[in-house]
Amino acid sequence: MHPSLHLLVLATCVTLASTTVISDPSSVANATFDYIIVGGGTAGLTIASRLSEDAGVRVLVIEAGPDNRTDPLVTDVTQFTVATGSTLDWAYKTVDGRTISGGKTLGGSSSINGATWMRGMKAQYDAFTLLLDPEDANKGWNWDGLFPYMKKAEDFTPPNATQRAAGADDVAAYHGFGGPVKTGFPLGMFLGPSQPYFVETAQNMTGLKLLPDLNGGDADCISFIPNSLNPHKSDTRSSSASSYLTPVENSRPNWTTLLSHQVSRVFFANSSLPLTATAVEFVPTPANASTIPTSALPTYTAHAAREIILSSGAIRTPALLQLSGIGDASHLSALGITPLVDLPTVGKNFQEQTNSPLGAAGDGFDARGRGPNDVIAFPSVYELFGDMAGAAVENITKGIEGWAESQAHNAANAQALKRIFEVQAGTIINDSSPIVELFYATNAAPGFELAIAMWNLLPFSRGNVSIQSTDPLAPPAIDVGWFSVPFDMRVQVAGARLARNILSSPPTSTLSLGETVPGFATVPANATDAEWATWLLGAFGANSHPLGTAALMSRSLGGVVDASLTVYDTKNLRVVDASVLPIQISAHLSSTVYGVAEKAADIVKAAWAGT
Ligand SMILES: Cc1cc2nc3c(=O)[nH]c(=O)nc-3n(C[C@H](O)[C@H](O)[C@H](O)COP(=O)(O)OP(=O)(O)OC[C@H]3O[C@@H](n4cnc5c(N)ncnc54)[C@H](O)[C@@H]3O)c2cc1C
């Protein structure tokens, strides 16, 4: 190639790259796109990438955070707890002062998460359909409908011989090959004794089966679990940004991603139902929100010819709906917002998990690796409670009605919530869905070389997210309702006891100098349930797996979106992120969110095919 031609090609590439991911809003303000996607996170970049495969459509993503794709806080999956609490984290405050993390950077939470790659129980995905109207039963909101999309997102590298010798295994049929998200076991996998010892101890304590691979719809097991990382690239994180955007960044001039701007409102063409969404308003994300009044920021507008898709995550998406006039009419009116759609459950049905780490000091054992961790035990109610499981099941079946009444303010009504609880309980009792996760961590911190992060996976407690002012940058109030259903604490106590027993039993205990958290001085060996609960209440943190705030459910049950993910009483406003998942699943969420977004992309494409 002639040198000047080479330069021209280079210049073209630079121009394309710089026009597709931008921070200057001037080329976007007042422009019209076919699709505007609010939030360049896990789901947002997935759907944007798929929609922009059609060179004939123009796609705009507006992302509140910056581009940190080369920042070690993002690329190094072993550093994820360091990114937590950094400027890359929204660090949402709950009303009781706890913190829920969420990625505030290109790729959203997929850029800062723990990178565990897994799906939940088949029955839990099938339960989504049970919560829809009967006419939507054939829309593929079940395991058979979502599993192919979860696999479509994935490019799995099977474990090598060294990793297999250390316990990793796989079932090829449970994985996707050739998709955007790189998954596999880390080259830095712990090859020392700690992970196999945990498996053996946890099996002895619970009777859980060891599955070679839990990614095929059975998570009621212990298993070595892969990560969303690229073992062919030194274990670098595979986020939605590195997977769905980077590879096509220089070849999709029809896809623009505006960084560091925050959508503040959706505009509609009409006020009669159904509403047609036509535009979004957005403002620069202030470097320090507390010191700059939102009214002092410049305001821009971008127009959508086809659709607006909200992918701002389970906390910001409901807030944005409320700011735009979709929510509980009385709540919106009280704030001075004209209600356009009275959907009282926007922001309700909120479900978040309660994480309690327990740990012990190592005896100096050689971990032979740097992680990330990849062994987890998932006991069901039967394995968690053992001989007492019958009583725990009875607690659920007899408790549901009262719990539905006590949580009704965070649902459509008590009757609807009772139905949702019946479905949730069905997966626990009939399908043995795991109710506790015991995430095993090696060398988490000094004095914490053997640790178990333990959380109640399927809380019955419900919460809500609600805006408190019309200021779009003001954080919404987040009331999680932690442990407001007493059974949730019963599960947490049982999980903590089990975690302690595993850490103090052989062979795991042969690597230990003794428990450091909580420590027997804080929670004695013979502690009562009440003593455990006192410690747990003080020590637990959010698990940062929030969902359910714009649920995919029938409207009568409190749903916010229908089976096409369209917000009720709107024509072209969809929600595609963790907000739509109606109930928790026994899994880390990202693979499921990718699957939902992949499916959503096909739904949107089909809706506009031939137009
Ligand atoms: C600390 C942490 C650890 C986790 N660990 C794991 C794990 O190990 N494995 C796993 O599978 N899952 C894990 N998860 C959960 C999983 O990552 C999330 O459930 C999933 O990524 C959520 O995807 P989402 O698309 O709903 O939201 P996000 O990926 O959070 O995307 C939302 C995006 O919207 C942007 N945004 C918000 N408001 C606006 C606005 N008004 N305008 C413009 N942009 C906006 C945000 O900045 C963000 O980029 C973890 C999550 C966290 C936070």
Side-chain angles (χ1 to χ4, degrees), residues 82 155 185 200 227 319 435 466 475 555 560 565 581:
V82 182
D155 186 21
F185 290 90
E200 193 181 332
N227 302 101
I435 54 170
S466 61
R555 198 163 177 173
V560 171
L565 303 182
L581 299 173

Side-chain angles (χ1 to χ4, degrees), residues 1 17 33 74 107 114 174 198 234 248 287 403 468 514 574 604:
M1 188 187 292
F33 298 82
V74 168
Y174 296 172
F198 169 77
S234 314
V248 299
W403 302 342
Q468 300 299 299
R574 290 188 219 248
V604 174

Side-chain angles (χ1 to χ4, degrees), residues 229-478:
L229 53 69
N230 189 347
H232 305 291
K233 221 175 149 191
S234 314
D235 288 347
T236 43
R237 174 188 297 279
S238 203
S239 68
S240 65
S242 70
S243 309
Y244 283 91
L245 174 60
T246 305
V248 299
E249 188 176 353
N250 295 336
S251 57
R252 297 261 176 99
N254 60 323
W255 174 7
T256 302
T257 299
L258 175 65
L259 301 166
S260 303
H261 284 77
Q262 201 166 322
V263 170
S264 43
R265 212 157 22 137
V266 178
F267 291 123
F268 302 94
N270 51 336
S271 55
S272 57
L273 303 180
L275 302 177
T276 302
T278 53
V280 296
E281 177 190 78
F282 56 98
V283 297
T285 303
N288 183 345
S290 60
T291 57
I292 305 173
T294 309
S295 55
L297 296 170
T299 303
Y300 308 97
T301 304
H303 303 273
R306 290 186 176 181
E307 301 208 2
I308 293 173
I309 297 167
L310 303 184
S311 300
S312 315
I315 290 171
R316 286 282 167 176
T317 284
L320 202 45
L321 284 168
Q322 293 166 2
L323 287 163
S324 308
I326 300 178
D328 183 332
S330 56
H331 172 61
L332 299 183
S333 300
L335 292 172
I337 297 172
T338 306
L340 299 176
V341 181
D342 185 13
L343 256 185
T345 48
V346 170
K348 295 183 180 174
N349 192 49
F350 183 80
Q351 294 153 66
E352 165 64 320
Q353 300 155 332
T354 45
N355 189 321
S356 302
L358 288 87
D363 67 353
F365 67 88
D366 185 358
R368 296 182 56 213
R370 68 189 292 263
N373 298 288
D374 36 30
V375 177
I376 308 182
F378 285 100
S380 70
V381 70
Y382 304 104
E383 289 119 4
L384 180 67
F385 287 100
D387 293 347
M388 302 300 291
V393 167
E394 193 178 320
N395 194 168
I396 298 173
T397 50
K398 292 203 169 144
I400 280 177
E401 191 154 359
W403 302 342
E405 276 161 26
S406 77
Q407 306 296 301
H409 58 291
N410 287 324
N413 52 57
Q415 207 187 353
L417 191 53
K418 181 168 172 260
R419 172 71 192 132
I420 297 167
F421 282 169
E422 282 166 357
V423 169
Q424 182 176 332
T427 71
I428 293 171
I429 296 167
N430 305 327
D431 304 299
S432 299
S433 291
I435 54 170
V436 150
E437 172 159 343
L438 300 163
F439 179 96
Y440 185 69
T442 300
N443 283 347
F448 215 61
E449 286 84 7
L450 306 157
I452 296 176
M454 182 279 303
W455 58 92
N456 178 339
L457 284 158
L458 308 175
F460 285 92
S461 303
R462 293 297 191 267
N464 71 76
V465 174
S466 61
I467 56 168
Q468 300 299 299
S469 86
T470 54
D471 180 345
L473 299 185
I478 305 168

Side-chain angles (χ1 to χ4, degrees), residues 10 60 66 168 189 191 217 220 228 309 397 399 411 585:
L10 262 182
L60 172 65
M189 182 174 170
L191 305 176
D220 178 23
S228 42
I309 297 167
T397 50
I585 53 174

Side-chain angles (χ1 to χ4, degrees), residues 20-22 39-42 44-45 61-70 74 88 90 103-112 237 239-242 245-246 249 255-260:
T20 52
V21 179
I22 57 176
T42 313
L45 293 183
V61 172
I62 302 179
E63 164 55 38
D67 180 356
N68 304 96
R69 275 177 288 176
T70 55
V74 168
L88 280 56
W90 283 95
K104 188 182 188 180
T105 178
L106 197 60
S109 299
S110 73
S111 290
I112 68 161
R237 174 188 297 279
S239 68
S240 65
S242 70
L245 174 60
T246 305
E249 188 176 353
W255 174 7
T256 302
T257 299
L258 175 65
L259 301 166
S260 303

Side-chain angles (χ1 to χ4, degrees), residues 41-43 62-64 90 101 103 108-109 113-116 263 544 577-578 588 590:
T42 313
I62 302 179
E63 164 55 38
W90 283 95
S101 288
S109 299
N113 71 15
T116 299
V263 170
S544 300
D577 61 22
H588 296 236
S590 68

